[in-house]
Amino acid sequence: MALIEMQAAVLQRFSVSVSLGQCQRAKATAMAMIEGKLEDQYAKVWNYASAIRLSNPGKTCLVGVESNLGCNYFKRFYVGFKAFRDGWSKGCRRVIGLDGSFLKGQVKGEISTAIGRDEDNHVYPIAWAVVNFENKDNWTWFIDNLVADLDLGTGNGLVVILYQHKGLLQAVANLLPHLEHRKCARHIFGNFRKKYTGLELKSLFWEAAMSIVKGDFLATMEKIK
């Protein structure tokens, strides 16, 4: 129920006027009673990992914590299902996209993802992780687990598409030194259109990005200039 609807319902039922702030606090209290506090949810992460391992034989599920003054604090959580791993190895192109998205709300952090492309050129999930911060250490941990799961070796015959996340490029270079590196055209275009607007430049950008012949790419780049 939206806060405005909640405010109107209280007025109609109890003939009491309440502010939106009071409605927000009441709703938060009610949700905490129903779902439990966020701290309690994180305390169950070990049980969650055990349930995943029992229900999905052969998968990888790892929990990382930091200890301070006798207390454990959540650091990171990795999941790689065996079915996804086998599907990528047997039926997908040797292309992996690495990206991350910041978590919003009371508990911060980032979700890191590895995706592939199947034979129909559709997005194929491979593995993901939730980490406390975006940094080289967490990206290295995520990619190291991914390399072990998919038996990627040093990256021979592999293409990785990534963007300029903090520490990601260095982690990839250290763990997969022989891969072919590409940057995400969509992210590049997002920065491009901030300065260069218009449908003509947009069309030329994607024409260059989709070029499969070097001469066509260079000709389109000259048009953009």
Side-chain angles (χ1 to χ4, degrees):
M1 179 183 291
L3 295 178
I4 295 179
E5 295 175 353
M6 184 177 177
Q7 187 182 44
V10 172
L11 179 61
Q12 180 180 6
R13 184 171 180 179
F14 301 105
S15 300
V16 175
S17 297
V18 293
S19 67
L20 292 178
Q22 289 174 313
C23 292
Q24 186 175 23
R25 290 191 293 273
K27 184 176 181 179
T29 301
M31 294 304 296
M33 294 172 63
I34 295 171
E35 299 179 351
K37 296 181 179 180
L38 290 172
E39 292 84 354
D40 297 334
Q41 299 294 334
Y42 273 89
K44 297 178 181 178
V45 68
W46 300 104
N47 296 333
Y48 179 50
S50 297
I52 291 178
R53 296 189 187 102
L54 288 173
S55 59
N56 296 270
K59 100 295 325 103
T60 303
C61 184
L62 304 172
V63 179
V65 298
E66 291 181 323
S67 298
N68 186 14
L69 299 177
C71 296
N72 291 326
Y73 296 90
F74 176 84
K75 184 176 183 181
R76 49 202 183 190
F77 185 87
Y78 174 90
V79 179
F81 289 118
K82 183 178 185 298
F84 288 170
R85 181 169 70 239
D86 292 346
W88 183 84
S89 299
K90 296 177 181 179
C92 291
R93 307 172 186 179
R94 285 186 63 81
V95 176
I96 296 177
L98 297 174
D99 204 352
S101 179
F102 291 106
L103 301 175
K104 299 180 180 179
Q106 184 178 348
V107 177
K108 309 299 181 181
E110 183 180 72
I111 180 168
S112 305
T113 58
I115 62 171
R117 287 281 185 178
D118 63 18
E119 292 181 340
D120 295 323
N121 205 34
H122 293 161
V123 172
Y124 185 90
I126 302 173
W128 61 92
V130 176
V131 299
N132 55 351
F133 300 112
E134 180 188 61
N135 55 32
K136 181 181 177 182
D137 176 55
N138 281 329
W139 275 118
T140 299
W141 179 78
F142 177 63
I143 297 170
D144 192 31
N145 291 322
L146 191 67
V147 169
D149 272 351
L150 301 178
D151 192 22
L152 299 178
T154 58
N156 288 308
L158 177 70
V159 175
V160 170
I161 302 172
L162 49 84
Y163 192 51
Q164 296 174 350
H165 291 284
K166 185 176 181 180
L168 175 56
L169 184 59
Q170 296 89 336
V172 170
N174 291 339
L175 294 172
L176 297 165
H178 297 141
L179 60 77
E180 185 175 348
H181 170 223
R182 291 289 181 268
K183 290 187 178 180
C184 176
R186 185 175 180 181
H187 283 108
I188 295 174
F189 177 68
N191 293 330
F192 177 83
R193 68 178 180 179
K194 292 177 182 178
K195 186 174 181 180
Y196 305 104
T197 59
L199 293 177
E200 183 178 6
L201 283 173
K202 177 181 178 181
S203 176
L204 287 172
F205 175 90
W206 287 109
E207 182 180 328
M210 299 296 287
S211 297
I212 58 175
V213 178
K214 184 177 180 180
D216 293 342
F217 171 78
L218 294 176
T220 306
M221 291 300 293
E222 285 299 321
K223 293 179 183 178
I224 292 176
K225 291 179 182 179

